[in-house]
């Protein structure tokens, strides 16, 4: 399965947003599958435009 979500934020907040996205993905897995949740790979690209993210 492959999904994409695009977030926009000020450049100075990008690293903080990256951490929040990764934490939210982990918590979503635990919510669905409990403490034994498998690890879902999440990649986050920080860039100035969508074309750079590919």
């Amino acid at each position: 399965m492959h999904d994409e979500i695009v977030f926009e934020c000020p450049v100075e907040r990008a690293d903080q947003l990256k951490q929040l996205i990764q934490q939210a993905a982990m918590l979503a897995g635990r919510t669905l599958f409990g403490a034994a949740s498998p690890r879902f790979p999440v990649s986050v690209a920080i860039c100035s435009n969508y074309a750079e993210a590919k």
Side-chain angles (χ1 to χ4, degrees):
M1 179 195 289
H2 178 81
D3 291 314
E4 294 180 3
I5 301 174
V6 177
F7 294 89
E8 292 186 25
C9 71
V11 170
E12 61 272 7
R13 305 290 302 269
D15 288 328
Q16 181 182 13
L17 180 59
K18 177 180 178 176
Q19 292 174 3
L20 290 171
I21 292 166
Q22 292 170 329
Q23 183 180 25
M26 179 192 65
L27 292 173
R30 286 187 181 169
T31 298
L32 290 171
F33 301 105
S37 174
R39 186 181 180 289
F40 294 99
V42 175
S43 60
V44 178
I46 298 174
C47 53
S48 61
N49 64 62
Y50 185 73
E52 292 178 6
K54 291 293 179 171

